[in-house]
Amino acid sequence: NAVSQLFADKLGYEVQVIKNATRAEIIKAINQLLVNVEINDSVVVYFAGHGYLNRKAGAGYWIPADASARDPSTWISNDSISEMLTGIQSRQMVLISDSCYSGSLTNEQSVEVSRDVKPIDILTKRSVVVMASGGDEPVADEGKNGHSIFAWHLMEALQSVDSWKIGTNIFERIQTDVMKSFPQTPQYGAAISAGHQVGGDYLFEFRQLERAQ
């Protein structure tokens, strides 16, 4: 709720919150983005919940609210998530996963962007990036004021956006602050399989004035 409110009130996003999301609800919501999102829209998919890693197969999963821990058919694989993102037409997309073992979502490729990049350099590329609350490890559910450690520092970083900041810069602040608080290491990567283009990144923009006009 707090993260969605921040995106709505601070950054000007239209938000949809699904509490205790079932497998069907998660898939339906992402598929709605395939239908409704246009190329110049910016999209954030934020998942806060449980995750699982099959170490033998190297495969990670989201565990929806209605899933059975003993039945993998009720989980959502990272491969399925990447496949669904592929169909969303937006040039600007970030998947943020605050869940255990979410680091495998970021393993495809690192995000490579120059420090002096300008917004126009980013917005002309298709950028699909993933920010995970930790590596292939358990992460803290608790943190500060009822939020997870990752969610707290994500919100703190986004509050610092006064015009625009690239995702790499936002992430570096989050990673540093989280690692000071708890032994988990947030990860950031490019989803090449979902169409990310080299040199792209997600642009967190301050849009309050634009929305008010």
Side-chain angles (χ1 to χ4, degrees):
N1 287 336
V3 171
S4 68
Q5 184 174 352
L6 177 61
F7 271 101
D9 296 344
K10 168 72 175 179
L11 299 177
Y13 283 69
E14 177 184 349
V15 301
Q16 178 188 12
V17 179
I18 305 173
K19 298 181 181 180
N20 298 317
T22 65
R23 186 178 192 277
E25 287 173 331
I26 293 172
I27 293 173
K28 180 180 179 181
I30 296 178
N31 275 290
Q32 283 178 335
L33 295 175
L34 272 70
V35 176
N36 297 328
V37 165
E38 298 181 358
I39 193 168
N40 291 323
D41 292 333
S42 295
V43 176
V44 178
V45 177
Y46 179 85
F47 174 77
H50 296 293
Y52 176 77
L53 178 68
N54 183 327
R55 295 193 180 278
K56 289 184 178 180
Y61 300 86
W62 283 352
I63 309 297
D66 63 337
S68 167
R70 298 181 179 181
D71 183 2
S73 68
T74 63
W75 310 343
I76 304 177
S77 71
N78 289 352
D79 288 344
S80 295
I81 296 165
S82 295
E83 184 177 342
M84 287 187 284
L85 295 180
T86 301
I88 299 173
Q89 296 302 306
S90 168
R91 284 199 191 100
Q92 280 280 291
M93 186 159 34
V94 58
L95 170 65
I96 304 174
S97 185
D98 187 1
S99 61
C100 295
Y101 308 110
S102 54
S104 57
L105 283 162
T106 69
N107 288 343
E108 288 190 32
Q109 185 170 302
S110 60
V111 178
E112 300 176 0
V113 61
S114 64
R115 293 293 177 180
D116 59 349
V117 67
K118 296 179 175 60
I120 190 63
D121 299 328
I122 292 176
L123 295 175
T124 54
K125 297 180 173 65
R126 175 166 165 89
S127 300
V128 187
V129 300
V130 181
M131 188 184 302
S133 58
D136 294 336
E137 60 191 354
V139 298
D141 292 329
E142 299 179 354
K144 296 184 178 182
N145 296 346
H147 308 294
S148 74
I149 289 172
F150 174 80
W152 171 266
H153 289 299
L154 169 67
M155 291 188 288
E156 287 289 293
L158 292 179
Q159 287 285 5
S160 71
V161 177
D162 57 6
S163 177
W164 60 271
K165 286 189 178 181
I166 61 173
T168 297
N169 291 347
I170 292 288
F171 167 73
E172 288 174 349
R173 172 176 171 175
I174 294 168
Q175 185 184 58
T176 298
D177 291 344
V178 167
M179 291 174 65
K180 289 179 180 177
S181 304
F182 194 80
Q184 71 188 58
T185 306
Q187 305 291 321
Y188 195 61
I192 300 297
S193 62
H196 179 88
Q197 295 179 320
V198 175
D201 199 350
Y202 192 78
L203 197 68
F204 289 94
E205 297 178 79
F206 181 68
R207 298 176 178 161
Q208 184 172 337
L209 294 177
E210 177 182 332
R211 185 181 59 166
Q213 291 177 349

